[in-house]
Structure formats: structure tokens, C-alpha cells
Amino acid sequence: MLTAIYPYGTDPYRARQVVIERLALTAEQLPPGARPAVSPLSSALTTILAIGMRGGSPLVLRDLAEWTIRPRLLAVPGVANVVIYGGGIRQVQVTTTPERLWAVRATLDDLATAAAAADAPGGSGFLDRGGQRLPTWLDGRLHGAADLAQAPLPGRNHVPVPLASVADVADGPAVAVGDAIVNGEPGVVLLVTKQPEQNVLAVTAAVEHALEAIVRALPAGVRVERAMFRQASFVTHALGNLRRALLAGAVLVTLVLLVFTAELRAAMVSVVAIPLSLLAAVAVLRAAGATLNVMVLGGLAIAVGEVVDDAIIDVENAWRRLRGAPAGARPLDVVLAASVEVRSAVVYATVMVALVFLPVFLLGGLEGALFRPLALAYVLATLASLGVALTVTPALALVLLPGAVARHPEPPRLMAALRRRYERALAQVLARPAPVLVGSIAAVAVAVGLSPLTHLEFLPEFHETNFVMHMTGAPGVGLAESLRVGAETGRRLLAVPGVRSVAQVIGRSTLSEDTFGPERSELMVQLAPDVDAEAVTEALREEAGGVAGFAFDIKQFLNERIEELLGGAGAELVIRLRGLELPSLEQAAATLSERMAEVPGVADLHAPGALTAPGVRIHPRRDDLLLNGVPPAAVERAVRSALGGLPVGRLVEGERQADVVVRIASDAAADPERFARLPLVTSEGRIVPLGAVADVEVAPLRTAIMHEDGVRTILVRLDARGRALDAVARDVGRAVAATALPAGVYAEVGGEYAAAAAARQRLVGLGVLALLGIFVLLLLDFRSARLAALTMVNVPLAFVGGLAAVLLAGGGQLSLGAIVGFVTVFGITIRNGIVLIAYFQQEERAQGRALDHAGLVRAHDGAGDRHRAAPTPAARRARRRRDRAADGARHRRRALHLDVAEPLRRAGMVRAGHDAGGRSGPSGSSNSSMTLRAAVTYAGPTATSPGVGTGRTGWSALHRTRPLAGSTRLAARPTSTKAGCVGASGSQRRISR
């Protein structure tokens, strides 16, 4: 069995094409009779149904499964394969013994020739006679074992004898490589797998519909267990939970909005965003060809609280502006201004939420395949909510809110009470911010210190009712022993309360890709719904622990299959031993198994393929082959007849087919001495026993030789129980590093923990880069490093809350799902910070100054401008005119300083000059009639001094400067004499516009 592993994202059809082309090139190099084939397109997670059959003979059950049920199920769209375990594969067997062959001086080649010549499938043609063409048909095919028994066997004295004289010709089961047990009884198990990217529920429903029609036509006495494993049950249960979560989330959001707004119309405007956003996301997903699987619905469920956020911001701002609008204001202008006021912050914050999920989109491997649909659904729903908030929410607010505000002009009592308490608490915090800052830093430090208490795992335990139990014996355990122990184990497991059915598949199937021997079995245990799965699992472990000679481990189906995908062995930890020499690998596996058993927390320790098993070894002697003239191919045919039968033909009965094989009786093949007496014909026609040309002996043989990446490999697999997986993994790694391995052997530790650690490292690294990118974008938007840092400062505090949830509610288990939850919380945190800071900036611009403590409290509470009218378009135009006038006034004050004060100072008339600012208008706001004043101190002679008059020399100096800007004029007026001026009788003049 060759397994080619491609990275996730590879086109499976392209990969299959490349593999088939390579196989075609290498087929000529394979031994004669070896025909490589590519398995049907499926994956480890596509087993959707297990069907059990019992109540008939093994041959009848197998015929029904293979020729009645399997072809019909394969015709169901979406089914990839139907693998059959158990029963007896029907053969027409020509069974003989060495003694009977010696009696007539015949060989196995004689039997094979006679059996092959007994079947004449040709003979079709036509015959023209008398203007008529008659079709001809030679019915020379075999129709049963009776026809084959009469086949002539040429004797040594040229006297033909029937084949039945030297062999038993009858229908019988082929040599089994596996078997099945259904609820403690021998039976047949069919495993149905689906094609990739097919809907589990749809394919399962179609298979069950087809099976329903088949069951009615089966013989009486045949009992069919239709769902011993059913993946659709878990999917249906998960979808039901998600639907309930979606409904509960929508109801809770509605109730919260009703409580805090006390108005049905305002709540409904926001709630409408939930179905519209989710439906828009679903429409985009369906248009892209995606299916609504569990992960997609999980992303939508997480987004329920987020999609309504944009609408709430719009509705709350419109509600507040409408309540504070002056009489006569048009609702259209108020709602439009309220929506535009928060639009920039909402858009930017929503984009940031999408950017936070960028690391999840960049995850690779199985974790990326699992969580990318969740992230895509979440981001699409969030972006759709932004579109709803930009279009639908303002329109609904304009239609529904004005009437609601007219009926309820005052805020709800609950909101008013909460606001008063919050204002007092926030004022106290702002008055003494040091304790809050110290407490926050301490909380972050404590969270960082508690981080090592978390235990990393790839995925959490799923709450499903399908369990997989492995039963592993020592290499060399026979199929009959595994059947006996498996039947006993199945009956013991069925006695556990809560167990509905137990299906066991032993070894491998002729149609599967597994290469297990009869020592390895897989039991599929189905629990009843609504049972305590953890308690039942412990009871199953106790029951299995009472079975001697075999080791057991039990896992949930999905966890076991995911571990198999990650580590290749269905275990949480896998130690790969690689080397060239098999004895050295076996020694290393035995040594490591002993060391691993001493590590606390290690459970279900197995080393498959690490030991040899007794077997019959046939070694041809080349010299004797040459001496007797026996070709090695004759020895090979003799060995094949003893092991499983030598195929010589095929019997066709309608739709059913059966191989015709020549075989040695099992009792003779199991005895090396009798097997060595198998007759062979020499080139001279003499008959010699097999022992004359080959050694037949019982010797230890290896049951399996495994290669990975072109190197011989042995896997040691183990699980962790009663202790954290990461702690066990670290101890295992240290134990492996401290173990002296044979020369040429090296070890690699992998499995679920290694995959989880690699995924965490990648996700954390990409998350840090995403946060840095978000900080840069915030810096470009706010144009302030302090504001950007203030927006990001809540991320560590969100980490504190998330870590507390992991430690308290999750038992410290940090799975990749929990890490994705951290990403979600970080996005919401950044979003809230952006909206809040944008509102602070808006308040500062409105007030024309920085916010003090009182203003910050009012702004943070959202009540800073509650009673201020929403700016109408005319008001906004007037405000722009005032802003331009203020800019012009500042420019003229600067010009006055340069054109007036400076020339007077150079002329010696003034010692100092300063801009005294402007005089406010009646309402306290600047206007175009502002008076600009420049106060200067006159340093020349007084007005009564001879020759000076009113100081014309100084004013002349002023008039000689460049003209003042615009309509600025100068006027001088005397002021009162003040002490402290130059000279005891100095005077002042004020220059005004």
C-alpha cells in the first residue's frame, strides 16, 4: 500500500492524474501479475454510514452485500466507495492434498490446466443458410461446481480421470484477511464513504432511501442494522445546536435592545440587521460554491452579536439627535446628519474587524481547512452588516424613529439610572487614574504569569455519540482468536447502559486501503442520545480492561480521524523511529516503549510492527532446482495454492462472479512436513516433492514493513490521560532525547500535539503581524501615535478576560478554536476603541477645545451633546463660514503684529507689543465683526512736550511702513497714565481697528 500525501489546497483530480501517469510508467517494472490501482477519491473523514448484516450464512451474507447492496449504493450520487468487511467471499475451490496428488501421480499444474480448460467462454458467431443468417453461441462456460468436477484430468498412463477424483470441487469462502462482528455476532459490515465536497446529509439521505428499498427484497431471516455508525446524526445535532444558538442570540439581542431603549421600533430597526446580514453572507457563500457546513454556521453564530453593532450605533445616534433636535427641524436632516456623523468610525472599525481575521485565513494544513470557513462566514456577515448599516438602517430609522421619539421624549428610566451611576463611577476613576492603571498592568502581568497553566490541544472534545475503540493484539494473533475475543468484547460493551450498538471490523478488507493484520480491530460504538458520554466512556474502558491479551483505546470518531490525519496513527503523540536495519528499529521500538511506559500520564501505548511473528518460510535451493530441472515458477505456484489459492478461471452467474481457484487443504498447508511433500514435476516428467528442492520451516517473520519518505519506519503511538497533553509531550520529548538508540536509528516526535504547537506558533506570529498592521492603519487614520496606541491598549485587557474564561470555564484547555476566539475578541475590542475615540474627537471639534474630566465623562457616556440640535445642512454651511472667518481673523492678527508693532518698536515708540486677541460676539462665538487690538506702550515724549505734539514722528514712521492688509485702519486714542511706564509721566496709546 502506497500513500501519497499532498498539501491542503491541492486539486485532488490533478493529483490523481499525476499519480496515475507515474503508475503507468512504473507498471512495467513490477512483477508479473501485479496490477497497481488508485483507490476511489475519498478522505479519512468521509465515512458516513456503517451498515450491519447478520442472520444468514457467511457466503449468503457476503453475496447479498457484494452483489445486491453494494452496486445499488455505488449508484447513489456522491458515494465514493462501499467497503465490505466479513462474510465469505464465494469461490469455486478445487481443494486437494499432497497425498491425493501422489496417488494419481498428478501435480498442481495438472489441476490448474484442467480447471482452466473446463471453461470455454468463446464461440459466438453466425451462420448463413438459405438467405437467412443464424446467430450461433457455444454455451461452454462453467455453470457451477458440478461442471468443474467433471473436467478431465490427464493421467500419467494416458487414461483421463475426472477432476473430482483427486480434489474436492465445491463452493467455499476465500481465505479471509478480515472479518466483522455485529452486536456480538458474526456478520457483515458495510462502510459507505462519500466523495469530497459532497453534502453529508444529502448523500446519507439518498443512501438510506436506496437501502430502504433493498431491505424489503432481502431473504427472510437476514437482519440489517441500518445505522451502526451515522455521521449525519452528529451533523444534524450540531446544526440543531447552532440553530438554537442563532435563535437564542437574536432573542437576547432583541431583549437587550428593548430593555435599554424601551421602544419596540428602535429595537426592531437594529434587529432587522441580523437576518439581512446573515442572509447576505449566506448568499455570497452559496454564490461562491461553498456549503453551509458546521464551521460556516459556527462563524455565523459568532457573528450574531457583531452584525447588529453597526445598526445599534446608527440607531442610538439618530435617536439621541432626534430627541435633542429643536422644534421645526426636519427628521430627514437630523437622521442624515446623525448617520454621517458616525459613518467614518463605523466603516473603519468594521474593516479592522475583517483585518484581525487575516491570520486565520493564512493558516495552512488541516487547521486552515477547518477554520477558514468559520472566518470567512464571520467576516462576510460583518461586512454585510456594514452594508445594511449604510443603507437599510438609516432608511428604517427615518421611517420609524421620529414617531417613537415624539412619544418618548425622555430617555428610558433604566438608562438614566445606569447613566447617573456610571458617570459618578467614571468621574471617580478619572479623578484618581493611578489605581486603575496599576490594576490593569497588574492584571496583564498576572495573566501572562498564568499563561503556562493553559494546556495546548489541537481540537476540543466533540460532543458526539460515535466512538471508535481500537483492539490490538500481539503480532501473529490469528483471525479466529480475534473473532472470539471481539465477540466477547462486543457483548460486554453492549451491556453498558447507554450503548446502542457495537460494530467490529477485524483486519482489512479486500476493497479498503488499510493494511492491518488480524491482530488489529476497530470497534464502532454508538451511544444513545442524551447520555453522559464521559461516564459511558469510562465504563467502556473498564469493561475493555477486563479482556486479557489485547490492548484497547477509545476515542470519539472525529477526534480519532483527525489524529490519524495529523500523525498517521490515530494517536495524540506519535514517535517515528527511522533507520535502515529492521532489527535495530525493533530494538529501538522495544526500548522506547519501556521508557514511555514510565512517563506519567502516558496511556494506550502501542508499537505496531515492532515485533516479529511466527510463520512458515519456504526457501528454494537453487542447486537442487537446477539438478532436478524444476523451474522456480512451479515452486511459486505451489506456495500460492497453499496460501490463498491459485486463480485459474472465473465463474459468471448473471450479475455474480466467483473465482475458480486450486488450493491445498488448510490442514495440509499448516503442517510444514505435509506441505513439503507437495508434488512438483521435473523437466524429465518425474514427480519430486517440494522438500527435495526447497526448505520448508517455521521461522519468525515480520508482519509489516513500513516506509515513510523512502525510509523504513516504525511508529510508537500513545495518548495522554489524567495529565495535560503538552506536559506529557514535553516529558516524552525529554525521554526520547535521553534514550540511547542503536546506531543508524533516529526518532521524531509528532502527532496532534506537534500539529497544534505548529498551528499556534503560526497563528500567534501572523496575529502579531496583523496587530502591527492595524496599528499602522490607525496611525494613518488618527495621525496620532498616542491615539493609535490608546485604541490598541485594550487588547491586553481582552487577553486577560479571554484567559480567565479558558482557565475557569475551559479547564485550562487551549485549543485552536479558543485561539480563534481570542482573535474574535481582539477584533471587537479594537472596533470599540475606534468608535469611542472617534466620538471623543468629534466632541473636541464641536467644543473647540480639549475635553476636561467633566467633558470626558459626558462624552464617554454619550450625553455630551444630548440636548444640542443636530446640525442641519444650513447650520453646517454657517459653521463653515464662521470657520473661514476665524481663519481670516487669525491671519489679520498676525499681519497687525508684523505691520504695526514691529515698525513702532524699531522707531523707538514702543517697548512692547502683543496681540490682545479678539472680542467675542454676544453669543460667545466668533463672528465677522471681531475687533482686533494691539496694545503698545508709547516710549517717546509726552503729548505736552515741546515739538512733539501728538507724537507725529512715531506715527510717521508707522505710516512709512507697507500698507495694512485689507480694510485695516489705524486709530490712536490716549489712555490713562499708569505707574511703571517709561518716565514718570509716560502715556499709552492704543491702536485699534
Side-chain angles (χ1 to χ4, degrees):
M1 176 63 61
L2 298 176
T3 303
I5 301 176
Y6 285 85
Y8 283 89
T10 302
D11 184 2
Y13 298 97
R14 175 64 177 170
R16 286 173 61 85
Q17 178 184 354
V18 173
V19 170
I20 292 173
E21 292 174 355
R22 295 295 181 90
L23 283 179
L25 295 176
T26 58
E28 298 179 356
Q29 305 175 16
L30 299 177
R35 296 175 297 176
V38 180
S39 63
L41 186 61
S42 62
S43 67
L45 294 176
T46 54
T47 301
I48 60 173
L49 202 63
I51 305 168
M53 299 176 61
R54 52 181 173 158
S57 68
L59 288 177
V60 171
L61 290 177
R62 183 72 184 211
D63 284 344
L64 291 174
E66 191 161 5
W67 302 111
T68 302
I69 299 178
R70 185 172 186 266
R72 178 63 185 91
L73 298 186
L74 286 176
V76 173
V79 173
N81 196 11
V82 179
V83 179
I84 305 174
Y85 285 87
I89 300 177
R90 187 180 297 274
Q91 290 181 338
V92 180
Q93 298 175 342
V94 182
T95 307
T96 187
T97 63
E99 293 79 10
R100 297 179 69 177
L101 291 175
W102 276 102
V104 296
R105 308 289 293 177
T107 65
L108 288 173
D109 288 341
D110 295 334
L111 267 67
T113 301
D119 190 24
S124 299
F126 55 87
L127 177 65
D128 291 329
R129 186 181 65 177
Q132 187 180 21
R133 171 165 290 185
L134 303 176
T136 61
W137 175 44
L138 173 62
D139 188 10
R141 298 194 67 97
L142 292 173
H143 295 284
D147 293 346
L148 184 60
Q150 298 300 318
L153 178 68
R156 293 301 166 191
N157 297 324
H158 303 287
V159 177
V161 295
L163 196 60
S165 64
V166 295
D168 295 330
V169 182
D171 290 352
V175 176
V177 295
D179 215 319
I181 298 176
V182 178
N183 288 335
E185 300 177 11
V188 172
V189 173
L190 297 90
L191 300 181
V192 183
T193 60
K194 74 175 185 67
Q195 298 172 354
E197 300 180 359
Q198 294 292 324
N199 188 285
V200 174
L201 300 180
V203 177
T204 302
V207 169
E208 291 175 336
H209 179 73
L211 185 63
E212 181 68 27
I214 297 173
V215 169
R216 291 194 293 266
L218 295 180
V222 176
R223 292 170 291 169
V224 177
E225 305 290 342
R226 308 183 187 185
M228 303 195 76
F229 165 81
R230 189 175 185 270
Q231 192 183 89
S233 298
F234 171 73
V235 175
T236 303
H237 180 69
L239 292 177
N241 288 339
L242 288 171
R243 292 191 186 100
R244 287 190 291 272
L246 285 169
L247 180 61
V251 170
L252 288 176
V253 169
T254 304
L255 291 178
V256 169
L257 290 173
L258 286 174
V259 168
F260 283 92
T261 60
E263 173 57 44
L264 180 61
R265 292 189 178 187
M268 294 308 300
V269 173
S270 301
V271 171
V272 165
I274 296 178
L276 291 180
S277 302
L278 298 185
L279 289 175
V282 170
V284 174
L285 289 170
R286 295 299 297 270
T291 58
L292 295 181
N293 53 42
V294 174
M295 300 305 291
V296 169
L297 292 179
L300 296 178
I302 297 173
V304 167
E306 185 73 12
V307 296
V308 75
D309 200 18
D310 291 341
I312 290 176
I313 293 174
D314 265 5
V315 171
E316 195 278 336
N317 203 47
W319 181 275
R320 180 159 48 88
R321 294 301 186 187
L322 287 170
R323 184 180 290 126
R330 290 200 311 164
L332 174 61
D333 295 336
V334 176
V335 173
L336 177 61
S339 298
V340 172
E341 187 177 32
V342 297
R343 185 59 53 229
S344 175
V346 168
V347 171
Y348 213 77
T350 304
V351 173
M352 290 299 174
V353 170
L355 290 178
V356 168
F357 268 86
L358 185 61
V360 181
F361 286 105
L362 298 179
L363 279 177
L366 178 62
E367 59 273 15
L370 284 174
F371 289 106
R372 268 196 297 270
L374 183 147
L376 180 61
Y378 181 89
V379 170
L380 286 178
T382 305
L383 295 178
S385 70
L386 175 61
V388 172
L390 291 174
T391 55
V392 178
T393 302
L396 291 177
L398 178 61
V399 173
L400 299 177
L401 292 189
V405 171
R407 289 193 303 270
H408 302 280
E410 296 298 327
R413 294 182 180 180
L414 176 62
M415 286 294 295
L418 292 177
R419 182 175 293 115
R420 287 192 297 269
R421 291 183 175 87
Y422 179 65
E423 286 181 359
R424 289 196 297 269
L426 184 60
Q428 294 175 1
V429 169
L430 294 178
R432 301 181 61 187
V436 176
L437 296 178
V438 172
S440 300
I441 295 173
V444 174
V446 171
V448 173
L450 294 177
S451 297
L453 297 180
T454 59
H455 312 306
L456 181 64
E457 60 181 7
F458 189 81
L459 289 175
E461 290 288 331
F462 297 101
H463 298 287
E464 61 171 324
T465 58
N466 298 311
F467 284 78
V468 175
M469 177 179 284
H470 296 122
M471 187 181 85
T472 307
V477 172
L479 184 61
E481 179 65 10
S482 291
L483 276 170
R484 183 189 68 81
V485 176
E488 177 188 351
T489 303
R491 289 189 291 268
R492 297 182 67 162
L493 298 182
L494 284 171
V496 176
V499 176
R500 172 180 289 180
S501 64
V502 178
Q504 180 180 5
V505 292
I506 305 171
R508 64 181 182 271
S509 168
T510 56
L511 302 173
S512 71
E513 297 85 19
D514 294 327
T515 59
F516 302 136
E519 75 280 356
R520 182 175 171 87
S521 303
E522 189 173 271
L523 294 89
M524 288 170 284
V525 182
Q526 187 178 51
L527 306 185
D530 303 326
V531 300
D532 188 351
E534 186 175 354
V536 175
T537 303
E538 290 301 322
L540 293 175
R541 286 196 177 99
E542 292 179 3
E543 290 293 335
V547 179
F550 286 81
F552 295 86
D553 64 81
I554 184 169
K555 301 176 183 292
Q556 292 182 352
F557 173 78
L558 287 178
N559 286 94
E560 193 273 342
R561 289 297 188 261
I562 290 173
E563 289 174 359
E564 184 176 354
L565 286 177
L566 296 174
E572 294 176 336
L573 289 172
V574 179
I575 304 173
R576 283 176 166 79
L577 296 171
R578 304 181 188 270
L580 300 178
E581 301 295 333
L582 287 175
S584 299
L585 287 173
E586 293 172 356
Q587 178 185 353
T591 303
L592 275 180
S593 297
E594 296 176 358
R595 291 294 301 271
M596 294 303 106
E598 301 173 357
V599 176
V602 169
D604 305 330
L605 176 62
H606 302 291
L611 298 175
T612 58
V616 178
R617 181 175 181 179
I618 301 97
H619 181 68
R621 299 188 297 270
R622 295 290 176 175
D623 294 340
D624 292 334
L625 290 175
L626 178 60
L627 180 63
N628 291 280
V630 177
V635 178
E636 186 265 342
R637 287 192 295 271
V639 172
R640 289 181 62 188
S641 65
L643 295 179
L646 180 65
V648 295
R650 181 172 286 268
L651 178 66
V652 180
E653 292 180 314
E655 298 294 331
R656 301 183 180 184
Q657 301 181 14
D659 288 334
V660 179
V661 299
V662 176
R663 61 190 297 268
I664 300 297
S666 57
D667 56 346
D671 186 352
E673 294 182 1
R674 294 183 63 188
F675 185 71
R677 297 187 65 250
L678 197 64
L680 300 175
V681 63
T682 66
S683 58
E684 299 176 355
R686 295 184 296 110
I687 304 296
V688 298
L690 176 62
V693 295
D695 295 327
V696 181
E697 59 183 356
V698 177
L701 298 175
R702 294 177 177 86
T703 58
I705 300 177
M706 179 180 178
H707 290 73
E708 278 192 4
D709 300 329
V711 182
R712 287 176 174 174
T713 305
I714 287 181
L715 303 181
V716 178
R717 55 191 180 93
L718 55 99
D719 295 328
R721 189 181 308 143
R723 193 171 173 222
L725 175 60
D726 51 355
V728 174
R730 287 191 293 268
D731 290 348
V732 167
R734 285 192 288 264
V736 170
T739 302
L741 300 178
V745 177
Y746 59 95
E748 298 175 355
V749 180
E752 177 187 345
Y753 174 76
R760 178 186 62 178
Q761 182 179 3
R762 180 178 179 85
L763 189 59
V764 171
L766 293 173
V768 171
L769 292 178
L771 291 177
L772 290 176
I774 290 173
F775 178 80
V776 172
L777 293 177
L778 291 174
L779 190 62
L780 295 176
D781 180 51
F782 292 141
R783 298 180 181 179
S784 170
R786 295 177 63 185
L787 293 181
L790 184 61
T791 305
M792 304 290 293
V793 77
N794 276 336
V795 172
L797 297 178
F799 168 75
V800 173
L803 184 65
V806 170
L807 293 176
L808 297 178
Q813 299 297 327
L814 184 63
S815 64
L816 291 184
I819 296 177
V820 173
F822 274 99
V823 172
T824 306
V825 173
F826 291 164
I828 296 174
T829 301
I830 294 174
R831 173 194 181 91
N832 293 339
I834 292 174
V835 174
L836 189 60
I837 291 178
Y839 188 75
F840 287 165
Q841 289 182 317
Q842 173 190 333
E843 287 297 308
E844 287 185 342
R845 287 192 296 268
Q847 298 182 20
R849 58 184 177 84
L851 296 177
D852 54 9
H853 282 188
L856 188 61
V857 171
R858 290 191 301 271
H860 193 284
D861 185 59
D865 56 353
R866 180 168 304 279
H867 300 291
R868 188 173 67 233
T872 62
R876 288 197 299 271
R877 289 192 296 270
R879 180 185 226 173
R880 287 194 295 269
R881 287 196 299 268
R882 289 196 300 268
D883 291 342
R884 288 195 296 269
D887 292 340
R890 285 192 296 271
H891 176 70
R892 285 191 293 272
R893 286 199 300 269
R894 177 64 177 168
L896 183 64
H897 175 74
L898 295 178
D899 295 342
V900 177
E902 283 298 319
L904 291 176
R905 183 184 62 79
R906 288 195 297 269
M909 292 182 62
V910 297
R911 285 210 310 262
H914 66 276
D915 186 359
R919 187 169 59 242
S920 299
S923 63
S925 60
S926 300
N927 52 41
S928 58
S929 63
M930 178 183 296
T931 299
L932 304 180
R933 297 176 298 166
V936 297
T937 301
Y938 180 61
T942 63
T944 57
S945 300
V948 176
T950 58
R952 297 183 181 274
T953 303
W955 301 122
S956 299
L958 178 62
H959 283 293
R960 286 196 297 270
T961 63
R962 58 189 178 91
L964 299 180
S967 59
T968 303
R969 299 291 185 268
L970 292 178
R973 62 182 178 86
T975 60
S976 62
T977 303
K978 296 183 180 180
C981 295
V982 177
S985 59
S987 63
Q988 292 182 330
R989 293 179 180 270
R990 188 171 300 275
I991 303 174
S992 304
R993 182 171 74 90

